[in-house]
Amino acid sequence: MAKATLVLLVISLVGVMQWAKSTNAESWASRLEAEKENVTNLQFYFHDILSGKNPTAIKVAQPSADNKSPTLFGSIMMADDPLTEGPDPNSKPVGRAQGIYGSAGQNELALIMAMNFAFTDGIYNGSCISLLGKNPAMNPVREMPIVGGTGLFRFARGYAVAQTYWLDLTTGDAIVGYNVTVVH
């Protein structure tokens, strides 16, 4: 009986050793050969409408009533803004800007933006790029990072240059031109 147990133990050890040999420490991962990366430039307009019957951005949080900050520090907005080919709100729609932005500056109007640009037109239909960063909104031109993407923009990284095309200081409504360069 001891001989039979020893034989089973040896067979078991050989099986375990074969499994261990074929499943090295990186067996759960595999390296994929990457194709050449693409660089894509996108130009579109972001329509942020806070006023009227159908606003595309609404305030979801605000600081206490005793906060009289001129920069609206602490206010947070949720947006589902149209993206269009041109600055005219009736120009061809190319997607939606969906996400949040909030006033993060006490001494300047500095927004922190977490926004997905979800495209609905052409070859990029169904693809998104993600922007996350500071938007010093009163600067004539500002640059923000692109930190990811989906669909044709998987593994995207890059930058967005924003320039205000039109701003209504009374309502806060704005049209902002975006020039976005992404590597993907």
Side-chain angles (χ1 to χ4, degrees), residues 8-84:
L8 284 173
L9 180 62
V10 169
I11 290 172
S12 296
L13 285 174
V14 168
V16 168
M17 289 172 56
Q18 288 298 325
W19 176 80
K21 185 177 176 183
S22 69
T23 59
N24 60 31
E26 296 171 1
S27 66
W28 56 270
S30 61
R31 184 180 180 112
L32 303 174
E33 293 300 318
E35 295 179 21
K36 186 183 118 188
E37 291 186 314
N38 296 307
V39 177
T40 300
N41 181 258
L42 305 161
Q43 294 183 29
F44 51 84
Y45 288 82
F46 172 104
H47 300 263
D48 197 40
I49 308 303
L50 284 61
S51 67
K53 293 180 183 178
N54 296 309
T56 61
I58 60 169
K59 189 179 293 185
V60 295
Q62 63 187 25
S64 63
D66 61 339
N67 181 345
K68 304 292 186 211
S69 170
T71 65
L72 304 174
F73 178 69
S75 295
I76 299 178
M77 306 292 287
M78 182 68 63
D80 183 8
D81 293 336
L83 301 176
T84 61

Side-chain angles (χ1 to χ4, degrees), residues 114-136:
M115 196 70 62
N116 275 333
F117 296 129
F119 298 102
T120 58
D121 184 61
I123 64 169
Y124 301 116
N125 184 16
S127 297
C128 296
I129 55 176
S130 298
L131 178 147
L132 175 64
K134 178 184 175 185
N135 179 354

Side-chain angles (χ1 to χ4, degrees), residues 169-182:
L169 290 171
T170 304
T171 64
D173 295 354
I175 299 172
V176 180
Y178 275 81
N179 185 320
V180 179
T181 301
V182 291

